[in-house]
């Protein structure tokens, strides 16, 4: 009998059984054409709506022959988050609600459709409180096929896998749809025989071992059976873990595995799996260690290379996957993983429920091509942070590998992936982890991930993964093994997780990093990523939370020096470096400088959020970039990973184009898109040239201008912060964005090529003045960077480090300096990078005056070919005199489209193309710059 459903027998309405059910029905065997009453007990299941005083609504649908799985509801009734009268439940008692309807009419079932189950969850009006099954899954109840047929059900006990003690008493209640001869047996021994449509029996448990209890109904030549199983555990003496066995899956040979589970204060644990048809069996009872803290079991006679699913069944009520799983199957989310992303995903086994672990002896090994990769030095790191979901449309490692050409051309030397371990659902940033040692299948296979890392290493790029050890979410076995379903949080006995968070920024369930169990878990999983995937380092999310000091809601105290937190982080770093001495450890910490200095001196890198000030600078408002300098934090080592953007921050171009400043006369507007891109170039020049490691967020090198709060429908709302964002590889076809890309890759190239850009001999004038200067010095090269962040023209003292000839990097111009303090005039947003030796730009940089002008102006026209009217669009970053003309192939001017002074901003001209058929050139002159573009005229 499947325990996926729960039922109500109407004649038991006053029995204790009623209180054990979440959803029950009247009649007990509802059919498609029946009127049915649904009863919901809010005190059962996850208990989320227990003692709720407001209105309760059903959210319901049906599982039909067209459904692809248990989550594929059809004909759903109820609009989420609204007061939908169709699903309003009637309160009939404390925590008891009912709803009555005709099944076929209510769900609008078409003739010929087979309905197998009704599916439910229950909510308050807004949907912020949701009643579900105990394990958080949806609630199902069957719809039976036809009247006059014989059906049976075992009403109580609810579960078909029970663990009972000798001497205990089990109340059994069963029912049939027709009057019949009813019998109940235990391992074939008859317990009771009656005639009717219901049966009650109290079973006294007497013998150890496996027991099958079967309920049979016979009438008119028909027979129907249902059964459940119970096991009475053996009392085998304790036995310690075999030598060399750790918690998790231990591969002993091609045919043998030892499973070990850390589970203090549990009474007994069984292994369920493909190898025993997911049935309780005393032969698969795990041995308990002498200290009572762990359980282990030896699986033998496995088929080499075959994948096996398994779970732990703990204390007769908890089904949990192994916390150290490297591959899991999730029946509620795996159906949405594309076949091309994860080919040959194992089918979810019949008889299992919930998330299961997969083991495989003699698994194929990846043949690594790069054996001894060493990342760039900390000071030279340029890290590209990306979220696969929003970076490549197929969101998989196969496609990500194809972007390595692009990233190599950009010049970055490290890739930081947002969490790739299993997280709840599929559409996520990944900070809701469920299995810290398993790859999330939504991004691809382990082999594909290894191939991606191998190829990145071949191109000189380190791969860093974002890891989340501040918290776990409720699907994690670490939570489920010690879980309070009513409080919906870990119990106080949980050896890994705190029942209540110790700090104000927590999400999910807070790890107790003072616990030896947590330390073992973190260290084992870190070693796994380093050894199995050759990961080059980690970015530790919310590392400031690695403390058991109870800060409550005091964010100020949370940021102060915490010696216990420092010791924990140093301990984890030591484990990482013991596996790979060159590994990169990055902390998202944001504590006081005093604490970060200690961690930096120990060798760790600290995130440095400079988003606000670079945004202010880009927009043309008061700003101070001095905290971008690691020395300003008190660091003696360049261990500060500064960024203008990250996954957590608003995009620079969005801020500039929506909130930017303008000059007093309005002739210069930072909001103008092409000007905003130029402002991003200015900001980048004063970002990459400051010594120390850098990080950029995906597409920032092309000026990504969609808000972090953009919704999928194009609106903006803070609730959409985690929603998918547009993937804009087409930016590369836009000249202005291409120019920003070229500036960015040129600056990255300087940083990763010339030692002077990582010098310790530097002087920064980047505080609250809009005129900024960076001076870098080495024995063989000096650099002087100048910029005007104002929206008005400025003259700046360059304070050149020496007289003589200086070369401007981006234009190739040279300057003979006799007076190092001679003022240099800079237009709004203008930047210059002078060096004492000429440095070459990348060969395909937009270098000509026309190319640069085109990049900044963005001339476009349509349609092409043109028969009648042509639209010409471009953009001016400041007011300018413009002449727009048309020439033929002989160089003769045939038309003047426009001539005159125009303000800054987008421009549009509409022109009637009264021309003979042929090829022509559109010529746009803006100041001294001239841009031409070819078009065809047709009749």
């Amino acid at each position: 009998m499947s325990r996926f459903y729960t039922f109500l027998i109407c004649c038991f309405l006053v029995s204790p059984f009623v209180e054990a059910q979440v959803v029950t029905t009247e009649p007990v065997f509802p059919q498609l054409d029946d009127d049915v009453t649904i009863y919901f007990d809010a005190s059962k299941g996850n208990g989320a709506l227990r003692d709720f005083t407001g209105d309760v609504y059903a959210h319901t649908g049906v599982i039909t022959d067209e459904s692809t799985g248990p989550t594929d509801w059809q004909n759903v009734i109820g609009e989420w988050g609204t007061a939908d009268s169709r699903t309003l439940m009637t309160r009939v008692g404390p925590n008891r609600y009912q709803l009555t309807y005709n099944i076929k009419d209510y769900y609008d079932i078409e003739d010929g459709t087979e309905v197998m189950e009704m599916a439910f969850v229950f909510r308050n009006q807004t949907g912020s409180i949701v009643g579900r099954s105990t394990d958080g899954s949806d609630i199902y109840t069957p719809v039976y096929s036809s009247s006059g047929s014989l059906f049976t059900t075992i009403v109580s006990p609810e579960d078909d896998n029970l663990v009972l003690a000798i001497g205990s008493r089990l109340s059994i209640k069963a029912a049939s749809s027709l009057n019949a001869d009813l019998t109940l047996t235990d391992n074939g021994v008859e317990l009771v025989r009656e005639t009717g449509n219901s049966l009650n029996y109290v079973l006294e448990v007497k013998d150890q071992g496996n027991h099958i209890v079967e309920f049979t109904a016979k009438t008119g030549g028909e027979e129907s059976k249902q059964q459940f199983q119970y096991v009475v555990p053996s009392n085998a003496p304790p036995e310690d873990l075999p030598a060399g066995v750790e918690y998790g899956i231990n591969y002993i040979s091609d045919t043998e595995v030892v499973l070990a589970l850390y589970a203090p204060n549990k009474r007994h644990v069984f292994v369920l799996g493909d190898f025993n048809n997911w049935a309780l069996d005393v032969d698969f009872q795990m041995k308990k260690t002498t200290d009572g803290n762990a359980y282990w079991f030896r699986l033998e006679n496995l088929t080499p290379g075959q994948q096996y699913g398994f779970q732990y069944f703990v204390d007769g009520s908890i089904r949990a996957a192994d916390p150290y799983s490297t591959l899991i199957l999730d029946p509620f989310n795996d159906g949405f993983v594309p076949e091309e992303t994860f080919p040959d995903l194992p089918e979810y086994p019949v008889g299992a429920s919930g998330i299961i672990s997969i083991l495989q002896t003699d698994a194929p090994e990846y043949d690594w091509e790069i054996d001894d990769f060493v990342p760039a030095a900390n000071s030279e790191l340029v890290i590209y942070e990306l979220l696969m979901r929003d970076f490549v449309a197929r969101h998989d490692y196969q496609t990500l590998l194809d972007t390595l050409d692009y990233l190599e051309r950009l010049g970055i030397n490290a890739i930081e992936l947002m969490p790739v371990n299993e997280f709840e659902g599929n559409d996520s940033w990944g900070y809701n982890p469920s299995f810290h040692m398993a790859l999330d299948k939504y991004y691809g296979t382990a082999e594909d991930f290894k191939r991606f890392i191998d190829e990145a290493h071949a191109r000189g790029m380190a791969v860093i993964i974002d890891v989340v050890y501040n918290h776990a979410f409720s699907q994690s076995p670490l939570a489920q093994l010690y879980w309070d379903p009513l409080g919906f949080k870990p119990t106080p006995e949980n050896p890994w997780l705190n029942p209540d968070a110790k700090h104000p920024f927590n999400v999910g369930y807070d790890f107790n990093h003072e616990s030896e169990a947590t330390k073992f878990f973190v260290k084992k999983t870190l070693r796994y990523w380093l050894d199995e995937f050759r990961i080059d380092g980690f970015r530790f999310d919310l590392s400031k939370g690695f403390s058991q000091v109870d800060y409550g809601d005091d964010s100020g105290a949370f940021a102060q020096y915490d010696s216990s937190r420092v010791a924990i982080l140093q301990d984890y770093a030591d484990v990482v470096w013991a596996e790979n001495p060159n590994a990169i450890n990055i902390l998202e910490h944001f504590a006081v400088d005093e604490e970060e200095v200690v961690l930096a001196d120990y060798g760790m890198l600290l995130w440095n959020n400079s988003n606000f000030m670079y945004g202010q600078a880009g927009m043309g408002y008061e700003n101070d970039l001095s905290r971008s300098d690691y020395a300003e934090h008190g660091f003696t080592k360049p261990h500060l990973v500064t960024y203008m953007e990250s996954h957590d921050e608003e995009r620079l171009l969005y801020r500039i184009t929506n909130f930017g400043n303008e000059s007093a006369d309005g002739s210069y507007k930072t909001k103008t898109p092409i000007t905003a891109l130029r402002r991003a170039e200015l900001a980048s020049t004063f970002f990459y040239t400051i010594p120390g490691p850098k990080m950029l967020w995906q597409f920032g090198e092309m000026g990504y201008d969609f808000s972090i709060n953009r919704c999928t429908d194009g609106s903006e709302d803070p609730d959409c912060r985690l929603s998918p964002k547009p993937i804009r590889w087409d930016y590369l076809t836009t000249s202005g964005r291409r120019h920003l890309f070229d500036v960015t890759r040129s600056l990255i190239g300087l940083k990763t090529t010339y030692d002077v850009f990582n010098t310790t001999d530097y002087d920064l004038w980047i505080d609250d003045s809009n005129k900024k200067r960076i001076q870098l010095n080495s024995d063989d090269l000096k650099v002087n960077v100048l910029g005007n962040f104002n929206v008005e023209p400025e003259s700046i003292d360059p304070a050149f480090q020496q007289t003589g000839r200086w070369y401007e990097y981006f234009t190739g111009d040279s300057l003979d300096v006799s007076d190092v303090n001679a003022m240099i005039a800079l237009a709004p947003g203008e930047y210059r990078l002078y060096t004492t030796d000429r440095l070459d730009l990348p060969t395909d940089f937009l270098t000509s005056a026309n190319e640069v002008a085109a990049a900044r102006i963005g001339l476009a026209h349509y349609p092409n070919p043109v028969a009648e009217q042509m639209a010409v669009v471009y953009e001016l970053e400041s007011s300018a005199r413009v002449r727009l003309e048309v020439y033929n192939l002989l160089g003769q001017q045939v038309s003047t489209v426009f001539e005159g002074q125009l303000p800054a901003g987008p421009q549009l001209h509409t022109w009637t193309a009264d021309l003979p058929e042929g090829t022509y050139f559109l010529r746009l002159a803006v100041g001294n710059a001239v841009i031409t573009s070819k078009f065809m005229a047709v009749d």
Side-chain angles (χ1 to χ4, degrees):
M1 172 184 176
S2 170
R3 287 300 149 204
F4 194 55
Y5 316 109
T6 52
F7 308 106
L8 171 68
I9 302 298
C10 58
C11 59
F12 295 154
L13 284 176
V14 296
S15 76
F17 160 70
V18 173
E19 298 305 314
Q21 303 304 297
V22 183
V23 166
T24 53
T25 66
E26 184 181 350
V28 69
F29 299 105
Q31 299 171 33
L32 182 60
D33 292 320
D34 284 349
D35 292 335
V36 64
T37 298
I38 304 298
Y39 295 93
F40 168 54
D41 189 337
S43 68
K44 308 307 176 190
N46 67 356
L49 288 164
R50 179 195 293 269
D51 300 326
F52 183 68
T53 57
D55 289 337
V56 171
Y57 296 83
H59 188 71
T60 181
V62 288
I63 304 299
T64 73
D65 54 354
E66 297 180 358
S67 297
T68 59
T71 60
D72 187 17
W73 295 15
Q74 306 291 312
N75 301 47
V76 174
I77 307 296
E79 185 175 348
W80 197 267
T82 66
D84 194 322
S85 60
R86 296 173 299 167
T87 60
L88 178 63
M89 305 289 290
T90 300
R91 191 187 304 269
V92 294
N95 290 313
R96 300 239 340 132
Y97 301 84
Q98 72 177 41
L99 179 65
T100 301
Y101 52 81
N102 178 272
I103 297 175
K104 184 175 183 180
D105 293 344
Y106 187 68
Y107 295 107
D108 192 21
I109 305 299
E110 295 182 359
D111 291 342
T113 299
E114 182 182 356
V115 177
M116 292 174 285
E117 295 105 24
M118 295 177 284
F120 301 91
V121 296
F122 301 88
R123 61 173 175 85
N124 63 347
Q125 178 177 321
T126 64
S128 61
I129 307 174
V130 183
R132 300 180 183 272
S133 294
T134 302
D135 63 0
S137 63
D138 300 339
I139 304 166
Y140 302 85
T141 189
V143 176
Y144 291 83
S145 57
S146 62
S147 59
S149 297
L150 180 63
F151 302 110
T152 53
T153 183
I154 295 176
V155 178
S156 178
E158 295 178 58
D159 298 319
D160 57 2
N161 274 327
L162 298 173
V163 182
L164 303 176
I166 290 178
S168 61
R169 296 166 64 84
L170 178 66
S171 177
I172 303 173
K173 306 180 192 303
S176 65
S177 58
L178 303 174
N179 282 333
D181 293 328
L182 310 177
T183 58
L184 192 70
T185 62
D186 183 350
N187 281 348
V189 177
E190 185 176 297
L191 301 176
V192 63
R193 179 186 295 270
E194 294 180 0
T195 300
N197 62 5
S198 64
L199 181 151
N200 293 348
Y201 184 79
V202 177
L203 170 69
E204 184 174 349
V205 178
K206 298 179 180 178
D207 301 315
Q208 286 184 343
N210 303 323
H211 294 260
I212 301 294
V213 175
E214 188 171 76
F215 171 60
T216 304
K218 294 181 180 180
T219 184
E222 284 190 87
E223 180 178 279
S224 177
K225 294 183 179 182
Q226 297 289 347
Q227 68 181 32
F228 69 90
Q229 179 178 10
Y230 74 91
V231 169
V232 180
S234 66
N235 293 319
E239 188 175 341
D240 285 333
L241 294 174
V245 167
E246 286 190 345
Y247 303 132
I249 306 169
N250 298 264
Y251 292 99
I252 307 303
S253 72
D254 291 350
T255 61
E256 186 177 345
V257 166
V258 173
L259 304 176
L261 177 68
Y262 184 73
N265 302 315
K266 299 300 184 182
R267 298 188 303 277
H268 40 71
V269 182
F270 291 81
V271 181
L272 308 176
D274 293 331
F275 33 76
N276 59 13
N277 295 318
W278 298 91
L280 267 178
D281 190 332
V282 289
D283 290 338
F284 288 84
Q285 183 178 344
M286 300 183 79
K287 297 179 180 181
K288 193 172 190 176
T289 57
T290 54
D291 61 8
N293 288 332
Y295 295 82
W296 64 277
F297 185 81
R298 189 181 301 273
L299 281 172
E300 298 176 308
N301 301 317
L302 300 173
T303 300
Q306 180 174 327
Q307 293 179 316
Y308 294 88
F310 75 96
Q311 276 177 332
Y312 300 118
F313 192 56
V314 183
D315 283 357
S317 61
I318 303 168
R319 287 176 178 256
D322 193 290
Y324 299 99
S325 299
T326 57
L327 177 64
I328 58 102
L329 297 185
D330 180 345
F332 301 104
N333 293 296
D334 286 355
F336 302 100
V337 176
E339 171 70 17
E340 64 183 5
T341 299
F342 202 110
D344 303 318
L345 181 65
E347 290 187 10
Y348 191 83
V350 175
S353 65
I355 294 175
I356 68 172
S357 302
I358 296 293
L359 63 84
Q360 182 184 21
T361 64
D362 194 30
E365 292 188 8
Y366 181 79
D367 185 14
W368 293 92
E369 294 185 5
I370 306 299
D371 287 324
D372 299 310
F373 177 76
V374 177
N378 287 333
S379 61
E380 299 175 14
L381 282 173
V382 182
I383 304 167
Y384 195 91
E385 185 191 20
L386 66 88
L387 170 61
M388 286 179 55
R389 182 198 68 185
D390 294 346
F391 190 61
V392 288
R394 274 183 37 170
H395 56 73
D396 60 29
Y397 302 116
Q398 303 169 56
T399 312
L400 188 62
L401 188 148
D402 293 337
T403 69
L404 288 176
D405 286 342
Y406 170 82
L407 296 175
E408 183 177 28
R409 182 161 168 257
L410 180 59
I412 60 98
N413 52 30
I415 301 168
E416 182 179 306
L417 300 174
M418 288 174 67
V420 296
N421 61 281
E422 276 284 357
F423 45 79
E424 295 192 355
N426 291 316
D427 182 5
S428 170
W429 277 10
Y431 295 106
N432 51 341
S434 52
F435 289 83
H436 287 72
M437 214 167 93
L439 273 179
D440 196 287
K441 299 177 293 297
Y442 196 63
Y443 294 154
T445 66
E447 183 179 7
D448 286 340
F449 189 36
K450 290 174 182 177
R451 186 178 298 111
F452 166 75
I453 295 168
D454 209 12
E455 183 60 29
H457 287 172
R459 296 166 185 256
M461 301 177 196
V463 178
I464 302 165
I465 59 171
D466 202 335
V467 287
V468 186
Y469 291 113
N470 174 78
H471 55 269
F473 269 55
S474 59
Q475 280 188 353
S476 169
L478 304 183
Q480 293 179 352
L481 286 166
Y482 298 85
W483 186 250
D484 173 6
L486 298 182
F488 207 76
K489 62 182 181 180
T491 65
E493 294 78 26
N494 192 303
W496 302 280
L497 304 172
N498 294 312
D500 300 295
K502 299 291 186 180
H503 63 87
F505 295 108
N506 188 73
V507 293
Y509 303 102
D510 183 33
F511 269 111
N512 173 5
H513 285 278
E514 296 285 0
S515 165
E516 291 303 316
T518 296
K519 292 178 181 179
F520 179 89
F521 177 81
V522 173
K523 293 174 184 180
K524 180 178 173 70
T525 54
L526 289 174
R527 291 189 188 102
Y528 172 75
W529 292 109
L530 292 165
D531 296 341
E532 182 69 19
F533 292 96
R534 303 193 180 184
I535 289 296
D536 300 294
F538 304 97
R539 179 263 189 188
F540 290 88
D541 180 67
L542 197 49
S543 57
K544 193 165 59 180
F546 292 20
S547 173
Q548 276 300 98
V549 177
D550 194 346
Y551 292 104
D553 294 327
D554 192 339
S555 58
F558 182 45
Q560 299 306 305
Y561 191 91
D562 183 334
S563 58
S564 64
R565 179 168 62 204
V566 169
I568 288 166
L569 289 167
Q570 290 175 335
D571 184 33
Y572 290 156
D574 287 342
V575 169
V576 171
W577 288 323
E579 294 295 317
N580 180 358
N582 299 305
I584 301 162
N585 286 303
I586 303 174
L587 307 180
E588 186 203 24
H589 210 61
F590 304 130
V592 292
D593 286 351
E594 178 189 7
E595 182 171 324
E596 295 203 348
V597 164
V598 173
L599 295 167
D601 286 344
Y602 203 73
M604 288 174 264
L605 307 184
L606 286 299
W607 254 26
N608 183 38
N609 182 2
S610 295
N611 172 262
F612 177 76
M613 279 303 172
Y614 274 100
Q616 291 294 102
M619 291 186 292
Y621 297 114
E622 182 178 345
N623 64 89
D624 184 347
L625 304 182
S626 58
R627 290 284 288 179
S628 299
D629 177 15
Y630 67 86
E632 284 291 315
H633 294 247
F635 288 18
T636 58
K637 299 178 180 179
H639 286 181
L640 196 68
V641 181
T642 301
Y643 55 88
M644 296 190 289
E645 297 176 329
S646 76
H647 67 269
D648 267 333
E649 309 302 332
E650 188 57 271
R651 312 306 172 217
L652 190 66
L653 254 291
Y654 175 83
R655 292 184 64 188
I656 298 173
T657 54
N658 284 274
F659 310 108
N661 199 1
E662 63 182 59
S663 61
D665 63 4
S667 63
Y668 180 85
K669 301 177 180 180
T670 65
K671 287 183 180 180
T672 302
I674 192 63
T675 305
L677 290 168
R678 287 279 286 155
R679 301 288 298 195
E681 294 174 13
L682 168 66
S684 296
T685 305
F686 278 79
F687 172 69
Y688 293 103
T689 55
I690 297 174
K694 307 298 175 192
M695 187 187 78
L696 67 156
W697 168 246
Q698 63 186 32
F699 298 131
E701 70 279 7
M702 293 187 283
Y704 193 82
D705 51 7
F706 291 94
S707 173
I708 194 173
N709 294 322
R710 186 184 190 274
C711 306
T712 53
D713 64 2
S715 62
E716 293 176 12
D717 190 304
D719 289 341
C720 296
R721 183 182 185 87
L722 305 184
S723 299
K725 301 297 184 286
I727 299 171
R728 298 305 302 268
W729 288 103
D730 60 304
Y731 278 171
L732 276 175
T733 64
T734 305
S735 54
R737 297 184 187 278
R738 159 74 187 281
H739 194 261
L740 173 58
F741 172 86
D742 279 344
V743 169
T744 303
R745 71 185 176 111
S746 299
L747 293 166
I748 293 173
L750 293 177
K751 178 171 182 58
T752 57
T753 303
Y754 297 96
D755 292 340
V756 69
F757 289 93
N758 302 297
T759 183
T760 57
D761 182 3
Y762 62 91
D763 183 60
L764 307 180
W765 184 40
I766 55 173
D767 54 12
D768 56 2
S769 170
N770 277 316
K771 298 180 290 185
K772 300 189 188 298
R773 181 179 65 232
I774 295 173
Q775 295 178 336
L776 309 173
N777 303 296
S778 69
D779 292 340
D780 54 359
L781 188 65
K782 290 180 172 53
V783 179
N784 194 307
V785 186
L786 307 176
N788 176 16
F789 284 85
N790 206 341
V791 293
E792 308 286 353
E794 292 278 8
S795 292
I796 185 170
D797 178 359
F800 283 113
Q801 297 97 306
Q802 65 184 43
T803 59
R805 178 158 293 189
W806 288 76
Y807 300 90
E808 209 289 313
Y809 174 64
F810 291 105
T811 63
D813 295 340
S814 62
L815 181 66
D816 286 322
V817 175
S818 57
D819 180 357
V820 296
N821 300 116
M823 302 297 283
I824 293 179
L826 297 177
E830 188 175 3
Y831 58 89
R832 298 186 189 176
L833 194 160
Y834 289 104
T835 61
T836 52
D837 288 339
R838 187 185 296 277
L839 307 181
D840 293 330
L841 284 165
T843 55
D844 57 346
F845 192 94
L846 296 178
T847 54
S848 74
N850 277 356
E851 287 177 317
V852 173
R856 295 176 180 174
I857 294 172
L859 175 65
H861 49 87
Y862 54 88
N864 187 12
V866 58
E868 295 181 357
Q869 280 202 328
M870 173 186 285
V872 182
V873 294
Y874 55 95
E875 198 160 353
L876 300 178
E877 57 183 334
S878 60
S879 178
R881 184 160 185 81
V882 170
R883 184 175 177 84
L884 184 62
E885 302 163 328
V886 178
Y887 288 79
N888 62 20
L889 284 174
L890 299 177
Q892 299 167 326
Q893 182 181 338
V894 297
S895 180
T896 298
V897 178
F898 175 82
E899 184 177 7
Q901 188 78 20
L902 290 175
Q907 311 297 331
L908 168 66
H909 303 287
T910 303
W911 170 65
T912 300
D914 186 14
L915 297 171
E917 187 169 302
T919 301
Y920 296 86
F921 292 93
L922 193 67
R923 182 180 187 272
L924 174 65
V926 180
N928 295 324
V930 177
I931 310 164
T932 59
S933 181
K934 184 167 65 175
F935 70 92
M936 298 290 293
V938 295
D939 291 335

